[in-house]
Amino acid sequence: MPVGTPALATPQIGATAASVTTASFTPTANALLIAFCAGRGSSATIPTISDSLGGTWTALGTGNDAGNVTGRLFYQVASASPSATTVTVTTGGTQTAVGVIELIDAGTDFSNYQAGTNAAGDPSITMSAYSSGSRVMAFGIGNAGAAWTSPTGFTELFDSEVATNLRMVPSYNDSSASTSLSWVSAATDSIGFGLEIKEAAAGAISGTASITQAGDAVAGTSALRIASAASLSEEGDTLTASGSVVSGIAGVLSVTEASDTVDATATIALRALLAATHGADSVSASAKVNVAAAASLLQSADTIAATGTIASASRTGSAAITEAGDTLASAAALSLDASASVTEEGDTLSTIAGPSIKGTASIAEAGDTVTGRAVPLLVSSPQERTASVPAENRTAAVAAEIRTVAVKAEVRTAAARAETRRAAA
C-alpha cells in the first residue's frame, strides 16, 4: 500500500532558547513519526531529542552543521494504542525549533537518505532512484531570510521562521519526483535533507510475538512475518493474515491455550517447532502449511489443516498427534519426511490426494484412521516399510496393493482391493 500523505502531528514550534517542547499530542496508531529538528547560533550543536513517555527516537544520519544553523532528522513508530506525549528538542543554541510529521503505511527502510549544506547559499542533493509507492520528503533549514522555494513539484507542509532568524520548510512529493533536489532561498547558510519513505514491509516482526491474554489478535491483510518465536498463550488468541502467516519463523510457534488459532488464506511456513498444546487449537491455511521440524498436537481436538498441502516435502521432522480427536488433514497432498504418530483414540491423518511418509506411520489407539482418496500409501520410500497397529483389532486398507501388514496382538482384517502379497501376525 503506498505511503500516506504527510501531516503535522502537532504544530511546528520554535523558541529563542536552547531547547523547545511541543504541545501535548497523540499520534495516529502505528504511524511513522519524523521529527525535523533545527538550531541556530554559534553555540548550537547537533539537535538531540526526547519525549515525555521516555520513547526511543532513532537518528537519521549524524546531523549537519552549516556554520550558523544545525539540523537533524529523527524517527519513531507509534504504537497500536498511542498515548499523549510531548517532544523536547535541545540544541544549546540561541534558537531551537522542531516540526513533528506523521505518515501512515510507512516503513523504516531509510537507505535513500541524503544531506547537503551550503555556508554561502542554497543547498542541493542528489537522491537514488525511488521505489514505486514511496513518499519523498525534502527538508530545508536556513539562517534567516524570506520564504523558500522548495524543489520542483513538492508541496510544503509549512514554510516559516519558527524562531528568530531560523527558517524551516518541509515538503513532500511521490515517487515520480526528480532525484535532483534543490532549494532557492535568501539564506546565507543552509541545510537540505532528502528522504525516501518506503512502503511498510508487510507485518514484519523481528523479534518475539507474544499474545498473552485471552481473546488477543494479531492480524494482517497481507503477510505476517516473525523472525523469532510466536506464542499464543491464552484461550481464544488469534494470529491471522489474508496472505501468509509467520512465513519467516525461525523459532517456535506455540499455540498453548484452548481454542487458539493460527490462520492464513495462503501459506503458513515454519522453520522450527509448531506446538498446539491445548484442546481445540487450530493451525490452518487455504494453501499450504510447511513445517521444517516437528508439529505437535498435544490436546484433544487440536487441528492442523490446509486445502492445499500440509507439511510438504520440505519437512524434516515428525507429526505427532497425541490426544483423542486430533486431526492432521489436507485437501491435496500430505507429505512427511519422517514419522507420523496417531496415538490417541479418534485421531485422524487424512488427505484427498495421497499421504506420503518416508518413515513410519504409527496408529496406536482404537478408532484412529489414516486415509487417502487418491494414492493411499501409508508409507512411501525406496525401501519396504510397515504399517503398524500395535494394540488391538485394526484394519489396514490399501487401494492398490499391500506389501506387509503386521499386527502385534490380533489381526481381524487385512484387506486389499487389488492384490494381497502377505498378511502376517
Side-chain angles (χ1 to χ4, degrees), residues 210-214 231-235 237 254-257 260:
S210 297
I211 308 174
T212 59
Q213 295 296 321
S231 299
L232 310 186
S233 57
E234 291 294 331
E235 182 173 355
D237 292 336
S254 298
V255 187
T256 59
E257 290 294 330
D260 290 337

Side-chain angles (χ1 to χ4, degrees), residues 338-349:
S339 61
S341 299
V342 185
T343 60
E344 290 294 329
E345 181 175 355
D347 291 336
T348 300
L349 184 66

Side-chain angles (χ1 to χ4, degrees), residues 12-23:
Q12 70 272 19
I13 188 170
T16 303
S19 66
V20 68
T21 299
T22 69

Side-chain angles (χ1 to χ4, degrees), residues 92-109:
T94 53
Q95 290 93 41
T96 304
V98 61
V100 181
I101 299 156
E102 67 175 20
L103 305 93
I104 61 172
D105 298 320
T108 55
D109 177 359

Side-chain angles (χ1 to χ4, degrees), residues 1-7 102-106 133-135 172-173 197:
M1 181 178 294
V3 177
T5 302
E102 67 175 20
L103 305 93
I104 61 172
D105 298 320
S134 291
R135 185 67 68 176
Y172 64 90
N173 201 339
I197 302 172

Side-chain angles (χ1 to χ4, degrees), residues 164-219:
T164 305
N165 294 323
L166 178 60
R167 180 169 289 276
M168 297 172 68
V169 54
S171 58
Y172 64 90
N173 201 339
D174 57 27
S175 56
S176 65
S178 171
T179 55
S180 297
L181 306 183
S182 60
W183 293 257
V184 177
S185 76
T188 55
D189 36 23
S190 60
I191 300 171
F193 298 124
L195 178 64
E196 178 186 3
I197 302 172
K198 300 180 182 180
E199 295 179 81
I205 302 175
S206 59
T208 300
S210 297
I211 308 174
T212 59
Q213 295 296 321
D216 290 339
V218 175

